[in-house]
Amino acid sequence: MELQSFVKILNEWDIVAVRQLGRNAAKELGFGVVDQARITTAISELARNIFLYAGDGKVTIDKVFSDGKKGLKIIAEDEGPGIADIRKVMEDGYSTSGGLGAGLPGVKRLMDEFDVQSQVGKGTVITAIKWLR
């Protein structure tokens, strides 16, 4: 297993950096350009959420290998305010920032596996995996 790579998300340039890190890792694993775009879009959304709602956190990108499959695991974690109603934020169209509300439901659609763990006042950890087809 390779070492994980991560970027601390403190400003908008960190979003750009972690997107590039994810695209490079996806390319190394053999993902096509469409899946590379899906992965970088998901990473961008997760990193932007950290920047907007938590202030700081990190996005970890890890190559994963399981049952003969290989993929990319993205973990976005912060110690921000947490998500009070996970069900609500997973509804299409829901937005607290006035955006389109494609956020986390969009990330879930772009990736193959998706999990949200959050505690109010303690933070959030979102894990998403895209498997190479």
Side-chain angles (χ1 to χ4, degrees):
M1 182 113 118
E2 295 187 29
L3 290 177
Q4 296 177 337
S5 299
F6 72 91
V7 174
K8 286 193 63 62
I9 307 300
L10 302 170
N11 59 57
E12 291 188 34
W13 289 109
D14 297 330
I15 298 169
V16 174
V18 76
R19 277 177 57 95
Q20 192 59 50
L21 183 68
R23 183 178 298 280
N24 290 343
K27 196 180 293 186
E28 285 173 21
L29 274 175
F31 281 99
V33 292
V34 172
D35 277 339
Q36 288 175 36
R38 288 181 176 122
I39 290 165
T40 56
T41 300
I43 290 169
S44 184
E45 183 63 37
L46 294 171
R48 184 167 275 104
N49 283 352
I50 290 171
F51 176 69
L52 289 175
Y53 303 115
D56 79 280
K58 71 178 181 178
V59 177
T60 303
I61 298 171
D62 190 19
K63 294 174 186 172
V64 290
F65 305 90
S66 175
D67 297 326
K69 300 187 302 185
K70 55 185 176 176
L72 210 55
K73 181 194 292 188
I74 314 303
I75 303 171
E77 54 190 314
D78 65 67
E79 294 179 7
I83 301 169
D85 189 345
I86 292 173
R87 222 180 267 152
K88 187 79 170 164
V89 301
M90 291 307 297
E91 291 176 6
D92 279 319
Y94 177 78
S95 174
T96 56
S97 66
L100 296 174
L104 294 181
V107 172
K108 183 177 182 180
R109 281 191 295 274
L110 291 168
M111 303 297 279
D112 297 319
E113 295 181 27
F114 180 85
D115 179 67
V116 180
Q117 300 294 318
S118 190
Q119 256 188 303
V120 174
K122 298 209 184 246
T124 302
V125 177
I126 298 173
T127 304
I129 299 174
K130 187 73 171 172
W131 295 107
L132 185 63
R133 305 214 185 296

